[in-house]
Amino acid sequence: MTTSSARSKASAPSKHASSAGTTVPSEKARLVLAGARAVFLANGFSTATTDMIQQAAGVSKSTVYSYYPNKEALFVAVVEAECERFLRAVRKPKFVEEQLADILTAMALAYLEIVLSRDGLALYRMIAAEAPRFPELGRRFYLAGPTAMNHIVAATLEAASSKGELDLGSVGLDSAATLFVNMVRGDAQMQCVMHPDAPASAAQRDRWAKDAVTTFLRAFQRDGHD
């Protein structure tokens, strides 16, 4: 079955009406998806089996197949659910500090908490490994993760530029935002991906965030603004 057909079947598990009149997945559908999430994040796509998923979900194999016709469909559903969860997480923090350095530091720390979490790293490894097989999902993950964060940072930089705090010069708003996000995520994510048994401490995350903010502001902050 192709990825597109798996996507269409995976995106519409059985639902029932809620008291508010909206539709929500049935309890068994949620159990199946939760079981698939646990198995995929722990084992990756290739190693995971429907038997493992069925056992993790605590349902029969026929129940699994009644919602998702195959492992590919389950994989699509899990990745899309994780992308939605990621989007909610990166948009949730409200940055109310007045100083630009404080705002950028808070954004960097919030982002690192997500991408360096156990589940965040597991999802990244899984998508990187399976992107050739599921290119559409690879793109969706990129848009929901790095690109979404770039847009959030760009909005902050635009506000700072309009107040005369930053001079982005010929680099431009979008490129400056991308540079900042890459400085925050780059080496931190690489270290954690390559050293799965050595999770980053709060002190390490704080250092990575502050180094990125300091370097970025030295490059783009206007004189006279602290």
Side-chain angles (χ1 to χ4, degrees):
M1 179 175 291
T2 63
T3 301
S4 59
S5 60
R7 178 191 298 275
S8 64
K9 292 186 178 182
S11 59
S14 297
K15 299 181 178 182
H16 59 81
S18 69
S19 58
T22 58
T23 57
V24 296
S26 70
E27 180 60 26
K28 285 190 177 181
R30 287 194 294 267
L31 288 173
V32 171
L33 193 61
R37 178 185 184 274
V39 170
F40 282 134
L41 291 183
N43 301 279
F45 175 81
S46 298
T47 304
T49 66
T50 52
D51 284 340
M52 294 165 63
I53 292 168
Q54 169 241 319
Q55 292 173 11
V59 299
S60 67
K61 189 175 292 187
S62 61
T63 297
V64 174
Y65 287 129
S66 70
Y67 294 111
Y68 301 99
N70 51 39
K71 188 173 75 168
E72 288 79 4
L74 271 165
F75 181 69
V76 170
V78 167
V79 171
E80 291 192 337
E82 288 300 290
C83 286
E84 292 301 322
R85 190 172 71 88
F86 183 89
L87 274 176
R88 290 194 300 270
V90 296
R91 288 173 176 165
K92 182 178 179 180
K94 303 298 182 183
F95 305 107
V96 296
E97 294 88 349
E98 294 183 358
Q99 297 297 317
L100 179 60
D102 293 333
I103 296 172
L104 292 177
T105 299
M107 295 178 77
L109 287 171
Y111 188 48
L112 287 176
E113 185 175 354
I114 295 168
V115 299
L116 301 186
S117 68
R118 183 184 63 181
D119 287 350
L121 290 168
L123 183 63
Y124 176 80
R125 293 187 187 100
M126 183 171 66
I127 293 296
E130 300 299 335
R133 185 197 299 261
F134 298 97
E136 291 182 18
L137 284 181
R139 175 170 173 76
R140 175 169 167 75
F141 174 78
Y142 181 78
L143 292 175
T147 300
M149 187 62 187
N150 291 348
H151 290 164
I152 292 171
V153 172
T156 297
L157 300 185
E158 185 174 31
S161 296
S162 68
K163 293 187 291 186
E165 296 181 65
L166 296 176
D167 180 6
L168 302 179
S170 61
V171 173
L173 179 63
D174 291 337
S175 293
T178 300
L179 285 171
F180 177 74
V181 174
N182 283 340
M183 282 194 292
V184 172
R185 181 186 63 238
D187 188 57
Q189 188 180 54
M190 182 62 69
Q191 284 196 38
C192 291
V193 166
M194 295 296 117
H195 302 88
D197 295 328
S201 66
Q204 285 176 304
R205 295 197 301 270
D206 187 66
R207 173 49 54 194
W208 281 320
K210 288 183 177 178
D211 285 349
V213 171
T214 298
T215 303
F216 183 84
L217 291 181
R218 283 180 179 175
F220 297 110
Q221 193 169 40
R222 286 182 180 273
D223 293 339
H225 289 277
D226 298 323

